[in-house]
Amino acid sequence: LVSIISIALMIHWIQFKLARIPLPFERTSIWIIPLAGISIGLVLSVTSVGKVQKVVQAIGFGSLLVLGLCFLGELRDSFFREWRSQSEVRAAFTSIQDLCRQRHVTQVASGFNLTSSLRFYKIFYNVSEPEFANFDKMPSDKVVYVLEESQFRDFIRDEGLQVAWRAGASDLVVAVRPESGKSPRAAP
């Protein structure tokens, strides 16, 4: 196990130095914790002879127990901290469908990290419309947008969009162009 950890970290370091691929960090490094914990547990499982070794062994096992409980407490299967908005895409999807039906919209613009999830739910619910697209620069000609408000607050304000649906635990919003269909830029 120690060899596996060492070789993997060495390969990561080489990739970092040669190709500037980022080193494991936060959720991408989570695999190290159980492997290191098991390795330490194996070392501690060696039969102790003296009192000092027994004390060290007891402290080691106590530390591993605390580490394991902390590790289990951090596990979430609903979202990663960096992608919190992904946890509410499913809830937003029904609102998006309703808005698209009401406004006869076939294409929805979305933030780059939301498009894949929206396409997944489109397949999951077996619906043909709307199409979800992301753009290098958010277009001004769409009616429905699925965005992270913190990233697109200025765009929402500048375009005069109205928030039709807001997530509870993240900053995910479904924004729509007002019924008149005119953006503030198009007004005389």
Side-chain angles (χ1 to χ4, degrees), residues 61-175:
F61 280 128
S63 299
L64 281 178
L65 180 64
V66 170
L67 175 71
L69 291 174
C70 289
F71 182 75
L72 287 174
E74 288 293 318
L75 290 178
R76 289 186 299 277
D77 63 352
S78 57
F79 63 90
F80 290 114
R81 183 177 17 165
E82 299 93 347
W83 303 99
R84 188 176 193 102
S85 61
Q86 299 294 324
S87 67
E88 298 181 297
V89 171
R90 185 176 190 171
F93 190 81
T94 54
S95 296
I96 296 164
Q97 278 188 294
D98 291 342
L99 283 168
C100 289
R101 272 191 232 113
Q102 291 169 9
R103 305 283 296 271
H104 306 289
V105 172
T106 58
Q107 188 179 46
V108 174
S110 59
F112 83 96
N113 58 340
L114 300 168
T115 306
S116 298
S117 297
L118 290 164
R119 288 177 180 161
F120 167 80
Y121 286 113
K122 182 180 167 184
I123 294 167
F124 182 78
Y125 289 118
N126 196 25
V127 294
S128 59
E129 289 186 344
E131 287 296 322
F132 296 99
N134 57 352
F135 302 89
D136 291 336
K137 185 178 184 292
M138 198 55 67
S140 297
D141 62 342
K142 301 299 176 199
V143 177
V144 179
Y145 297 85
V146 184
L147 307 167
E148 289 177 280
E149 191 172 24
S150 61
Q151 286 182 303
F152 292 96
R153 185 171 283 116
D154 293 338
F155 176 80
I156 292 169
R157 184 191 64 237
D158 293 346
E159 291 294 319
L161 301 175
Q162 297 172 343
V163 175
W165 183 90
R166 184 181 306 276
S170 70
D171 65 344
L172 180 67
V173 294
V174 177

